[in-house]
Amino acid sequence: MLVDDQQLLRAGFRMVLGAQPDIEVVAEAGDGAQALETLRGTDVDVVLMDVRMPGMDGVEATARIRGPKVLILTTFDLDEYAFAAVKAGASGFLLKDVPPDDLVNAIRAVHAGDAVMAPSTLRRMLDRFAANLPDQAPPDDAGLTPREREVLLMVARGLSNLEIAAALAVAEATVKTHLGRVLAKLGLRDRAQAVVYAYEAGLVVPSHRPNG
């Protein structure tokens, strides 16, 4: 589903996505409230959501969406609205001038359960907006094993599964298994959410170094 208050932009995205054999645009909306209403009666896998819209913006709409993965559209890179949307549950963000191939690949990646925003980019956002993190006691590790906690810290530092596997001398599939358990135990959607969690829990500080 395409959610943007600019009809011309939605038409452009629809044209690009309509040319893909494995992607179908099943709905459009002009703001967050309309998107939520549409989702009640439409089966959607991925929502492409503008973050700044009149009425209900993309942040509030993202926080209310249950089920579909959300990809945020933003005009510029270090956007506090995009950061808030990721904290609200979005799987990442794209710039509105994203090349068509990157847009298509991002939608496929999100549908497959991956986060499309590189952890390094999210980390820069966290450094920029660290003051916006809630002032609260860090959540516990929800029964993470030492190895799962280690994987979480490496994800938070921006390492890929392949890089984590090399560092731990294990198979990449093993890293995916550990990360899957981390996400399940912490109730997180994807690795982007895992990075946010690590910062909010105080496991990683804005200087990019883990505590302790």
Side-chain angles (χ1 to χ4, degrees), residues 77-165:
D77 194 344
L78 293 179
D79 182 352
E80 67 271 23
Y81 279 80
F83 171 67
V86 171
K87 286 185 61 183
S91 295
F93 72 89
L94 296 170
L95 296 177
K96 285 192 175 184
D97 60 356
V98 60
D101 286 348
D102 289 351
L103 171 66
V104 170
N105 290 336
I107 290 172
R108 289 175 178 146
V110 166
H111 183 256
D114 295 328
V116 301
M117 179 173 49
S120 58
T121 302
L122 180 56
R123 211 171 56 234
R124 287 194 300 116
M125 292 180 74
L126 285 162
D127 286 346
R128 173 82 173 265
F129 304 118
N132 295 341
L133 293 177
D135 184 16
Q136 60 185 25
D140 62 34
D141 284 353
L144 296 185
T145 66
R147 178 47 61 90
E148 288 166 355
R149 192 173 189 275
E150 193 174 15
V151 169
L152 172 60
L153 288 173
M154 289 183 171
V155 168
R157 292 185 199 126
L159 274 64
S160 67
N161 286 350
L162 192 59
E163 290 168 334
I164 295 171

